[in-house]
């Protein structure tokens, strides 16, 4: 068997080298969360062994060490997403927090009664509910962009719906259900022509492809550390300085203030104005370590690797009778997220049966209930590949689908 180019990565992920239900684990739930390489675990351990202290406030050696590592991580992230300055990189708990901050702070500032907020039918709940809440509060309209038959954005509909009433368009860069990649720059141009603003949910994009927030011309861009080999509880909100400057913080307290008087206070400059309280210092350091790991492999290479797996597996999946695939077939428009259903078998039963074969996939609505309704599916099963997955595992995945089908449809034999 030829060694695959990414096969050797497995040694960096102890958790992947285990037996589950008497079978070698094939972890295909990377859209939910990814595993952490030894380098990230080491970075966390080293930080706690050598440098743990609170940031920004101390003058002692450990405090300075922790502060410089925390702020150094911000610079690593800035460079990774090509933001122009670290003032535009805010640490959050993850994509959900980032999107809530934008809806509550920026939305509060610019959305008025009768205005329109535009999202799409492929959004994750965390890019729906904050806008629903804002629309209700402001008496604004929440409007959905339609999808094509194969799950891509219907660009004609998008263009028609972006008007001078559109204050905010908030769109996922990559769908966590369909794997489809949206043309962010094109939409940014349309939104900006109408003097609106574009918010991008990058949770499923930043881990899988090179992202340049300036080239995309996104006004805000959100993502999570845990989906890109980093720890849970750390994420990022990128925002253009001119917009962040105008916004009020969502949380108030220590670390984010300049002066506090009895009745009034002033805020620190960006990015600290938004980061109230002791931040997730170890999380930021762990995320920077994850980015070093990804950069060593190269985001172009990672994207190419996932494409090759999708290209390899699509014909095999299409050949399975009774299997429905959601999202575009063309690899140029998608990542390694593959949602599917098998006729006559509930997706939860599919996921349970596949787990018996050691293959970890997810089943459910994937936090995208409006999309499920739109596609007329109660749920789907979903496999999501990442850099450490191999073609051999993709084969195992196909075999597990066939075994599942036989188990349920032909009975026990
Ligand atoms: N948006 C998308 C597209 C996602 O896939 C996810 C995670 N499933 C989120 C937002 C939310 O991310 P988190 O739970 O890390 O805040």
């Amino acid at each position: 068997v030829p060694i695959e180019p990414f096969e050797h990565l497995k040694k960096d992920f102890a958790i992947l080298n285990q037996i589950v239900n008497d079978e070698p684990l094939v972890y295909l739930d990377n859209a939910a969360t990814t595993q952490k390489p030894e380098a990230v675990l080491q970075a966390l351990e080293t930080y706690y062994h050598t440098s743990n202290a609170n940031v920004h406030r101390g003058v002692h050696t450990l405090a300075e060490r922790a502060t410089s590592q925390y702020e150094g991580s911000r610079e690593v992230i800035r460079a990774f997403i090509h933001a122009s300055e670290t003032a535009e990189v805010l640490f959050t708990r993850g994509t959900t927090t980032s999107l809530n901050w934008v809806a509550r702070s920026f939305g509060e500032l610019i959305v008025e009664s009768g205005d329109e907020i535009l999202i799409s039918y492929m959004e994750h709940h965390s890019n729906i509910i904050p806008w629903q809440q804002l629309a209700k509060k402001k008496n604004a309209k929440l409007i959905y962009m339609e999808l094509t038959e194969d799950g891509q954005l219907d660009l004609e509909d998008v263009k028609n719906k972006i008007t001078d009433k559109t204050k905010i368009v908030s769109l996922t860069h990559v769908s966590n259900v369909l794997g489809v990649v949206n043309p962010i720059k094109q939409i940014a141009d349309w939104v900006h022509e109408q003097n609106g603003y574009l918010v991008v949910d990058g949770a499923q994009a930043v881990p899988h492809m090179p992202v340049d927030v300036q080239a995309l011309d996104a006004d805000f861009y959100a993502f999570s550390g845990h989906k890109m080999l980093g720890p849970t509880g750390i994420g990022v909100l990128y925002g253009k300085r001119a917009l962040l400057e105008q916004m009020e913080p969502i949380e108030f307290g220590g670390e984010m203030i300049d002066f506090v008087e009895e009745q009034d206070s002033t805020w620190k400059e960006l990015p600290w104005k938004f980061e109230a309280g002791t931040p997730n210092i170890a999380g930021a350091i762990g995320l920077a370590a994850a980015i070093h790991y990804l950069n060593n492999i190269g985001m172009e290479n990672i994207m190419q690797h996932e494409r090759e797996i999708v290209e390899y597996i699509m014909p095999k999946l299409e050949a399975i009778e009774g299997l429905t695939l959601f999202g575009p077939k063309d690899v140029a428009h998608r990542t390694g997220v593959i949602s599917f259903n098998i006729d006559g078998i509930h997706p939860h039963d599919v996921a349970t049966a596949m787990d018996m074969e050691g293959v970890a996939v997810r089943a459910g609505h994937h936090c995208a209930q409006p999309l499920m309704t739109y596609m007329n599916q109660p749920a789907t099963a979903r496999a999501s590949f990442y850099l450490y997955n191999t073609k051999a595992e993709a084969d195992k995945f196909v075999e597990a689908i066939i075994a599942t089908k036989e188990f349920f449809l032909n009975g026990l034999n």
Side-chain angles (χ1 to χ4, degrees), residues 31-32 94-97 99 124 126 172 174 176 201 203-204 224 226-227:
T95 309
T96 304
T97 306
L99 293 169
H124 186 279
S126 66
T172 195
V174 172
N176 68 313
D201 172 352
Q204 299 293 345
S224 300
H226 70 97
K227 292 182 197 282

Side-chain angles (χ1 to χ4, degrees), residues 85-114:
E85 46 174 334
T86 49
E88 298 181 323
V89 176
L90 315 183
F91 283 121
T92 67
R93 276 200 305 127
T95 309
T96 304
T97 306
S98 300
L99 293 169
N100 273 276
W101 282 13
V102 181
R104 281 173 61 198
S105 178
F106 186 66
E108 184 68 38
L109 200 66
I110 67 149
V111 174
E112 291 168 7
S113 175

Side-chain angles (χ1 to χ4, degrees), residues 103-173:
R104 281 173 61 198
S105 178
F106 186 66
E108 184 68 38
L109 200 66
I110 67 149
V111 174
E112 291 168 7
S113 175
D115 285 347
E116 294 179 359
I117 301 162
L118 204 53
I119 62 174
S120 84
Y121 277 111
M122 69 171 88
E123 300 312 315
H124 186 279
H125 292 161
S126 66
N127 198 27
I128 299 175
I129 307 167
W131 306 113
Q132 284 177 347
Q133 295 298 108
L134 177 67
K136 278 189 216 167
K137 188 169 171 197
K138 294 285 188 155
N139 195 26
K141 278 195 208 125
L142 182 60
I143 296 174
Y144 285 75
M145 299 180 264
E146 307 280 334
L147 311 183
T148 60
E149 199 61 25
D150 70 346
Q152 303 196 54
L153 266 187
D154 179 343
L155 291 179
E156 216 178 289
D157 182 65
V158 174
K159 186 136 182 38
N160 287 334
K161 282 181 177 156
I162 299 173
T163 69
D164 57 2
K165 289 204 182 112
T166 312
K167 280 287 167 68
I168 293 175
V169 175
S170 193
L171 179 65
T172 195
H173 195 164

Side-chain angles (χ1 to χ4, degrees), residues 34-55:
T34 57
Q35 303 304 343
K36 321 305 173 196
E38 204 51 39
V40 168
L41 304 180
Q42 276 298 325
L44 297 175
E45 195 177 304
T46 303
Y47 166 71
Y48 281 121
H49 277 155
T50 65
S51 313
N52 178 54
N54 212 330
V55 289

Side-chain angles (χ1 to χ4, degrees), residues 138-391:
K138 294 285 188 155
N139 195 26
K141 278 195 208 125
L142 182 60
I143 296 174
Y144 285 75
M145 299 180 264
E146 307 280 334
L147 311 183
T148 60
E149 199 61 25
D150 70 346
Q152 303 196 54
L153 266 187
D154 179 343
L155 291 179
E156 216 178 289
D157 182 65
V158 174
K159 186 136 182 38
N160 287 334
K161 282 181 177 156
I162 299 173
T163 69
D164 57 2
K165 289 204 182 112
T166 312
K167 280 287 167 68
I168 293 175
V169 175
S170 193
L171 179 65
T172 195
H173 195 164
V174 172
S175 162
N176 68 313
V177 178
L178 305 165
V180 61
V181 183
N182 289 319
I184 296 300
K185 177 62 170 75
Q186 171 69 82
I187 291 163
D189 290 346
W190 290 342
V191 178
H192 293 147
E193 275 164 28
Q194 300 290 349
N195 299 316
Y197 298 91
L198 179 66
V199 182
V200 180
D201 172 352
Q204 299 293 345
V206 174
H208 303 282
M209 61 183 67
V211 167
D212 180 329
V213 291
Q214 292 187 81
L216 293 171
D217 204 13
D219 296 296
F220 296 93
Y221 195 102
F223 58 99
S224 300
H226 70 97
K227 292 182 197 282
M228 52 192 289
L229 311 182
T232 50
I234 187 81
V236 173
L237 174 61
Y238 158 83
K240 287 182 181 167
R241 178 192 268 276
L243 305 177
L244 294 175
E245 294 279 12
Q246 297 170 53
M247 288 158 57
E248 280 293 304
I250 290 296
E251 288 188 314
F252 305 93
E255 308 249 3
M256 54 76 69
I257 50 85
D258 203 357
F259 288 105
V260 179
E261 293 170 66
E262 217 175 277
Q263 300 297 329
D264 209 358
S265 303
T266 54
W267 318 144
K268 260 193 194 154
E269 58 187 359
L270 290 172
W272 305 289
K273 165 173 113 171
F274 287 95
E275 296 177 4
T278 301
N280 185 352
I281 306 161
I285 291 166
L287 177 53
I291 289 173
H292 283 309
Y293 188 91
L294 292 169
N295 277 338
N296 273 340
I297 299 162
M299 293 311 295
E300 282 286 348
N301 295 333
I302 291 168
M303 184 170 76
Q304 189 55 33
H305 172 70
E306 289 176 29
R307 275 200 182 155
E308 277 171 23
I309 288 185
V310 174
E311 239 164 9
Y312 173 74
I313 204 175
M314 273 300 174
K316 295 178 187 239
L317 293 173
E318 282 171 48
I320 301 175
E321 215 181 303
L323 187 105
T324 307
L325 288 163
F326 302 98
K329 307 286 180 298
D330 176 3
V331 289
H333 296 117
R334 61 172 307 139
T335 64
V337 177
I338 300 176
S339 278
F340 62 97
N341 270 335
I342 307 174
D343 285 355
I345 315 174
H346 194 278
H348 282 121
D349 293 334
V350 171
T352 306
M354 291 182 76
D355 185 53
M356 297 314 294
E357 309 284 326
V359 180
V361 299
R362 183 159 292 252
H365 54 61
H366 313 293
C367 296
Q369 284 178 351
L371 176 61
M372 294 296 130
T373 308
Y374 193 80
M375 298 196 305
N376 212 7
Q377 301 289 329
T380 71
R382 179 187 72 187
S384 46
F385 291 81
Y386 205 15
L387 73 174
Y388 38 62
N389 294 124
T390 60
K391 285 182 185 156

Side-chain angles (χ1 to χ4, degrees), residues 1-8 312 390-392 395:
V1 184
I3 302 287
E4 291 183 43
F6 282 58
E7 179 75 53
H8 67 281
Y312 173 74
T390 60
K391 285 182 185 156
D395 281 332

